[in-house]
Structure formats: C-alpha cells, structure tokens
C-alpha cells in the first residue's frame, strides 16, 4: 500500500484477534519510531515494548477500556522525560561525536543553543515539550504500522500509577505519555466496517 491507501485502511482497532505479529514487522515499526522527527535530535523519550503475555495481563487493570490490551500482540509505552539534566545532554553530544567523527569544539554553538533552550524552560514546560515530542513518534509508529499491514490503537485512557508500577518507570525523571497497541483486527470488531469520517478538505485546509 502507498501511504494514502494505508491511512484509509487503518482505524483505531477496538479488539484484536490475539495473533502475534512477526519480529520483522515489529522491528520495522520500531525503527520508524527511532528515526522519527525529534527537536534538536534530543529524543527526550524512549519506548518500552511489552510482548510478554503475563506482563500484558498485569497491565489490563490500568486501562479504562481494556479490550485492546487483553487481545493485542504487543503494547508500546512511549515514555517521555519530565526533566533533562546535564548528564543526558553530555551523553547526547558524546553520541554525536562518535557517530559523526567531529569534535566537541565544532559543536559548541549547537550545545549552547540547547543549553539556552533547556535553561529557559520551567519544569512544567519541559515536561510538556517532552510529551509533545513523544506524540510525534506516535504518529510515525502508527503510519509505519499501517504500511506494514499491522493494526494499531493509540490509548490515553489509563491509570498512570498502575502502568508505572508494572513497567518500573523512574517516576523522578519520566512518565508514560501514551500507549500504542499493535496486532490484527478481530473479525467481530464491527468498527472495521464503518466508513472513515474526517473533515472535508475545504473545511480542513486553508491556503493563504
């Protein structure tokens, strides 16, 4: 499928059939998330991929609508940072130096720009920024899933405390921003038969 066909084909699945997706398709989807757009390249987030059925069962009570969780193949938790410290930035620049074969001196202006951005943000602004960044990744994961013919459903309706405990989140520095379930749509999920409804183009797009 091309990307428009993929977007027309996909919908937010309400119930999966329990079939496991292949490692190849899963890895392609995750790689799309890794390569996703990231402001300053900082990637203030990471992914937790839950494929163990026992762990997934432990997560079911955390969701207000558990039908997707109880039937999915994999669950991806997008974990965003609530603060970004000097150590995180130092590690980021060490990685750039190793990957690009440049020196720290060549990156001074870039480093100063990032430091200025982080220093001028309140803790609340930084947490909000990181969370928004993770949603950009979510879009990449959803798009990649559709092109791999893998169904998905993004989910925000959950109890943060249960997810954090089961997934052992470091509550001092990170939070779960959103969850994405993956799998194959169940035959009895009637939502797959509904026509996709979106704003018409003339109500959605305005050329200036």
């Amino acid at each position: 499928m091309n990307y428009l066909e993929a977007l027309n084909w996909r919908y937010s699945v309400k119930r999966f059939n329990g079939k496991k997706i292949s490692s190849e398709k899963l890895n392609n989807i995750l790689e799309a998330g890794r390569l996703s757009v990231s402001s300053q390249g900082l990637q203030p987030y990471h992914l937790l991929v839950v494929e163990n059925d026992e762990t997934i069962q432990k997560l079911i009570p955390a969701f207000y609508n558990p039908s997707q969780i109880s039937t999915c193949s994999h669950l991806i938790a997008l974990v965003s940072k609530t603060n970004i410290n000097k150590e995180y930035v130092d590690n980021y620049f060490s990685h750039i130096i190793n990957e690009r074969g440049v020196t720290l001196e060549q990156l001074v202006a870039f480093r100063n720009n990032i430091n200025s951005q982080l220093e001028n943000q309140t803790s609340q602004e930084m947490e909000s920024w990181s969370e928004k960044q993770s949603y950009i990744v979510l879009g990449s994961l959803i798009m990649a899933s559709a092109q791999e013919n893998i169904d998905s459903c993004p989910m925000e309706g959950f109890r943060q405390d249960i997810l954090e405990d089961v997934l052992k989140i470091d509550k001092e520095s990170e939070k779960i921003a959103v969850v994405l379930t993956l799998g194959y749509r169940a035959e009895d999920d009637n939502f797959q038969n509904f026509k996709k409804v979106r704003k018409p183009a003339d109500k959605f797009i305005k050329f200036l």
Side-chain angles (χ1 to χ4, degrees):
M1 291 190 290
N2 66 37
Y3 63 93
L4 290 180
E5 290 173 334
L7 287 172
N8 273 295
W9 170 80
R10 77 154 306 278
Y11 72 104
S12 291
V13 170
K14 303 303 181 285
R15 182 177 177 82
F16 298 96
N17 66 8
K19 179 183 175 182
K20 291 292 185 181
I21 66 180
S22 70
S23 296
E24 179 183 3
K25 287 182 177 289
L26 176 63
N27 289 335
N28 287 343
I29 293 167
L30 296 176
E31 182 66 358
R34 190 182 73 87
L35 296 174
S36 183
V37 177
S38 173
S39 177
Q40 307 277 28
L42 275 170
Q43 296 180 283
Y45 45 72
H46 67 275
L47 307 182
L48 289 178
V49 183
V50 184
E51 57 185 355
N52 180 275
D53 290 335
E54 184 179 343
T55 303
I56 289 177
Q57 288 298 311
K58 291 179 181 178
L59 293 175
I60 291 176
F63 290 85
Y64 302 117
N65 184 359
S67 61
Q68 293 96 333
I69 307 303
S70 60
T71 57
C72 70
S73 168
H74 290 73
L75 178 150
I76 302 174
L78 288 86
V79 185
S80 61
K81 296 187 72 62
T82 53
N83 63 74
I84 299 174
N85 57 26
K86 182 178 182 297
E87 181 184 4
Y88 186 86
V89 177
D90 286 344
N91 289 336
Y92 173 52
F93 276 89
S94 294
H95 186 55
I96 294 176
I97 290 168
N98 289 334
E99 289 292 309
R100 293 181 176 171
V102 296
T103 65
L104 185 58
E105 287 72 23
Q106 292 173 289
L107 301 172
V108 167
F110 183 30
R111 175 66 186 260
N112 289 341
N113 184 50
I114 288 180
N115 287 341
S116 177
Q117 174 190 330
L118 298 179
E119 289 169 2
N120 290 322
Q121 285 183 331
T122 66
S123 58
Q124 186 174 5
E125 287 171 338
M126 183 177 294
E127 181 175 336
S128 175
W129 173 75
S130 295
E131 192 169 20
K132 287 177 182 177
Q133 290 291 301
S134 70
Y135 273 79
I136 297 174
V137 182
L138 176 67
S140 298
L141 294 171
I142 290 172
M143 184 74 249
S145 298
Q147 293 198 293
E148 291 284 347
N149 279 113
I150 298 298
D151 289 301
S152 65
C153 183
M155 305 184 71
E156 293 180 308
F158 53 77
R159 286 185 54 183
Q160 190 85 229
D161 56 336
I162 296 178
L163 283 186
E164 288 175 346
D165 288 341
V166 174
L167 299 180
K168 296 179 173 55
I169 298 300
D170 180 2
K171 300 176 185 180
E172 296 297 319
S173 64
E174 58 188 20
K175 63 180 287 188
I176 296 177
V178 65
V179 165
L180 182 68
T181 47
L182 301 176
Y184 295 96
R185 63 190 68 177
E187 289 186 9
D188 60 355
D189 184 356
N190 292 327
F191 281 82
Q192 65 190 290
N193 301 316
F194 297 165
K195 182 179 180 180
K196 185 182 289 290
V197 178
R198 294 292 187 270
K199 290 181 180 180
D202 63 344
K203 299 295 184 182
F204 180 67
I205 304 165
K206 183 179 181 179
F207 291 93
L208 301 177

